[in-house]
């Protein structure tokens, strides 16, 4: 496959690159090093700019008001959007908009009016409730939250953990087991309003990300009507699975963008910094670290674009998405680590974004499925086996 950008893709890439360097990075100089949000006035001003650029909501399908941009181009743009201090988890601080919970594209007309459209307009925030204390990498088996039929609706009991944004959301998508006799065929997806009796945020869970946190949720005799079922009963896992696999592509792109930015910093620093009468760039030990950075970046970029291209064509891409996520998160982590080493003591400070990227990149080896799960998926493809 040829992944050389077309002239139109190159124009969009350059446009986003200028936006990051001229609009985002100067604002970060005035922000706390761990900040994940812009001042409201700055955010609103930049949203108007992305709308004028015709790039607002690039992940939103065209039938719901998004621009008609294919997945390969969106991946190339995601690589550019991540190249600033907060870019790994808050690319451009959300001023390009987003699809929100993509599973809502499966909603019926009533649910679209109540949840999807307000979310796309930025009027409502939502959370994604899949992972449980019993595990997150194998949701088909790990989901122990139960939903039982009662009073023309469903009663939920159980818990979720590592859920982002639930304490600030108006609603969430929650997966619960509705048939204990079936594995992945016994899970249903529910839309839960935050004020529903029996549902509450049990506690905040702090992680390596200083500026952000996850939450633990509890459902205790939480009743919801049939109107809150997203999709069909016992087919919730299918709703989650396609979008989770697709999400691994922009997830990988964010890792690549940060790796590129860290590598560029390391190259520039190595040419400028002198020790023992010579520049760092003249030393073989540093040169080899830069070479390894280049190889890790090119490898991850190739596999991520390959996954995006197969998804764009409508071909199976589960294995390719796993390879992309694996190479980008692990390779990107190595690039940031080497770039910190080249910067010496300066690399450890909050004066530079490297220490933030180092912490956040570590999470990426676990988020969206740990490296070991990605390797298991790839092994199944090689060996011709399937999930039991």
């Amino acid at each position: 496959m040829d992944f050389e950008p077309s002239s139109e893709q190159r124009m969009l890439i350059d446009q986003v690159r200028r936006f990051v360097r001229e609009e985002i990075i100067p604002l970060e100089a005035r922000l706390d090093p761990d900040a994940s949000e812009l001042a409201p006035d700055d955010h609103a001003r930049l949203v108007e700019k992305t709308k004028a650029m015709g790039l607002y909501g690039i992940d939103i399908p065209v039938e719901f008001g998004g621009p008609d941009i294919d997945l390969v181009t969106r991946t190339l743009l995601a690589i550019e959007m991540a190249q600033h201090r907060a870019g790994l988890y808050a690319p451009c601080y959300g001023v390009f908009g987003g699809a929100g919970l993509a599973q809502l594209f499966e909603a019926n007309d009533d649910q679209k009016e109540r949840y999807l459209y307000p979310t796309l307009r930025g009027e409502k925030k939502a959370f994604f409730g899949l992972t449980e204390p019993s595990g997150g990498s194998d949701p088909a088996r790990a989901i122990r939250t139960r939903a039982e039929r009662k009073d023309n609706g469903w009663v939920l009991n159980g818990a979720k953990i590592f859920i982002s944004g639930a304490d600030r959301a108006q609603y969430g998508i929650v997966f619960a087991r509705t048939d204990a006799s079936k594995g992945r065929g016994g899970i249903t997806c529910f839309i839960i309003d935050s004020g529903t009796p029996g549902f509450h945020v049990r506690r905040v869970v702090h992680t390596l990300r200083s500026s952000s946190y996850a939450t633990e949720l509890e459902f205790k005799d939480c009743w919801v009507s049939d109107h809150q079922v997203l999709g069909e009963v016992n087919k919730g896992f299918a709703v989650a699975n396609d979008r989770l696999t697709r999400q691994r592509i922009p997830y990988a792109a964010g890792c690549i963008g940060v790796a590129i930015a860290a590598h560029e910093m390391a190259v520039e620093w190595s040419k400028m910094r002198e020790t023992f009468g010579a520049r760092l760039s003249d030393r073989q030990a540093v040169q080899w670290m830069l070479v390894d950075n280049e190889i890790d970046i090119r490898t991850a970029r190739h596999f991520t674009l390959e996954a995006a291209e197969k998804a764009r064509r409508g071909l199976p891409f589960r294995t390719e998405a796993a390879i992309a996520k694996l190479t980008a998160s692990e390779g990107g982590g190595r690039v940031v680590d080497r770039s910190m080493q080249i910067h010496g003591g300066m690399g450890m400070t909050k004066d530079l974004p490297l220490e933030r990227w180092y912490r956040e990149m570590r999470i990426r080896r676990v988020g969206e499925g740990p490296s070991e799960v990605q390797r298991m998926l790839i092994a199944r493809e090689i060996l011709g086996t399937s999930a039991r």
Side-chain angles (χ1 to χ4, degrees):
M1 295 180 182
D2 179 13
F3 298 126
E4 187 64 27
S6 66
S7 57
E8 184 178 0
Q9 287 172 327
R10 176 58 59 191
M11 182 187 69
L12 293 173
I13 290 169
D14 290 343
Q15 197 174 10
V16 171
R17 183 174 298 167
R18 281 196 303 274
F19 184 88
V20 170
R21 296 187 177 183
E22 296 174 5
E23 302 287 353
I24 300 297
I25 293 177
L27 288 176
E28 288 188 320
R30 306 198 299 267
L31 286 176
D32 181 284
D34 281 319
S36 289
E37 294 180 354
L38 295 175
D41 289 349
D42 286 328
H43 187 275
R45 175 176 59 82
L46 294 183
V47 165
E48 292 306 312
K49 286 202 170 190
T50 61
K51 287 181 177 177
M53 292 161 62
L55 294 177
Y56 186 78
I58 61 172
D59 294 327
I60 299 172
V62 64
E63 60 265 36
F64 299 115
D68 187 15
I69 298 178
D70 65 85
L71 184 56
V72 173
T73 305
R74 297 204 310 266
T75 301
L76 291 168
L77 297 183
I79 291 173
E80 295 298 323
M81 289 177 186
Q83 294 183 39
H84 61 95
R85 187 189 296 270
L88 193 57
Y89 278 95
C92 295
Y93 299 90
V95 298
F96 281 86
L101 290 181
Q103 284 78 11
L104 283 174
F105 295 133
E106 310 297 330
N108 59 37
D109 290 342
D110 172 60
Q111 292 167 341
K112 285 175 180 172
E113 291 293 335
R114 288 188 291 139
Y115 298 104
L116 175 60
Y117 297 138
T119 303
L120 296 182
R121 291 194 297 265
E123 298 166 1
K124 285 187 175 181
K125 293 182 179 179
F127 66 85
F128 183 76
L130 180 66
T131 300
E132 302 203 358
S134 53
S137 297
D138 182 16
R141 296 175 179 81
I143 290 179
R144 295 180 182 175
T145 295
R146 306 182 318 278
E148 298 175 331
R149 290 288 293 171
K150 188 174 183 181
D151 299 333
N152 297 319
W154 298 86
V155 176
L156 276 69
N157 282 284
K160 301 286 179 180
I161 197 167
F162 302 132
I163 309 301
S164 299
D167 57 326
R168 297 193 290 177
Q170 284 73 47
Y171 71 95
I173 292 177
V174 176
F175 296 83
R177 190 166 296 284
T178 41
D179 189 334
S181 67
K182 300 177 180 177
R184 60 189 61 203
I187 295 169
T188 300
C189 180
F190 297 89
I191 303 175
I192 308 290
D193 290 304
S194 296
T196 304
F199 162 67
H200 76 278
V201 178
R202 178 186 285 168
R203 69 182 178 105
V204 166
V205 182
H206 292 285
T207 67
L208 290 173
R209 297 180 61 202
S210 298
S211 63
S212 188
Y213 53 84
T215 61
E216 182 175 353
L217 313 179
E218 182 180 53
F219 302 89
K220 189 173 182 180
D221 297 328
C222 177
W223 182 87
V224 295
S225 74
D226 286 327
H227 299 296
Q228 299 304 101
V229 173
L230 178 63
E232 298 180 41
V233 173
N234 289 335
K235 294 186 178 180
F237 187 79
V239 171
N241 202 29
D242 177 70
R243 301 296 177 181
L244 286 174
T245 302
R246 198 173 294 272
Q247 178 61 23
R248 286 179 182 143
I249 298 172
Y251 198 84
C255 297
I256 297 167
V258 161
I260 290 172
H263 181 49
E264 288 179 349
M265 289 174 60
V267 171
E268 185 178 353
W269 181 258
S270 71
K271 291 179 180 177
M272 181 175 62
R273 180 70 165 174
E274 290 189 4
T275 59
F276 302 101
R279 294 182 305 176
L280 292 180
S281 60
D282 293 329
R283 302 188 183 283
Q284 187 182 59
V286 172
Q287 291 173 358
W288 285 13
M289 283 195 279
L290 295 175
V291 169
D292 288 343
N293 278 359
E294 188 74 24
I295 292 171
D296 274 331
I297 290 169
R298 291 192 188 204
T299 301
R301 184 178 183 279
H302 174 88
F303 284 130
T304 301
L305 289 174
E306 180 185 34
E309 174 63 16
K310 294 196 81 169
R312 184 189 68 82
R313 293 185 186 180
L315 300 172
F317 64 98
R318 183 179 174 85
T319 301
E320 286 74 13
I323 294 173
K325 196 275 178 182
L326 180 67
T327 55
S329 59
E330 294 204 345
R334 290 193 295 268
V335 170
V336 171
D337 185 65
R338 293 189 201 104
S339 300
M340 291 181 78
Q341 190 71 15
I342 291 170
H343 277 81
M346 281 301 297
M348 311 297 132
T349 71
K350 287 184 179 292
D351 291 352
L352 302 178
L354 292 167
E355 69 85 28
R356 174 172 175 156
W357 292 337
Y358 182 82
R359 288 183 284 112
E360 293 190 337
M361 196 68 87
R362 180 63 186 86
I363 297 177
R364 292 262 163 162
R365 284 164 49 195
V366 173
E368 296 291 330
S371 296
E372 292 73 19
V373 169
Q374 308 310 320
R375 286 189 168 88
M376 181 183 70
L377 293 173
I378 299 164
R380 285 176 180 165
E381 172 70 17
I382 294 170
L383 298 171
T385 57
S386 60
R388 288 177 295 175

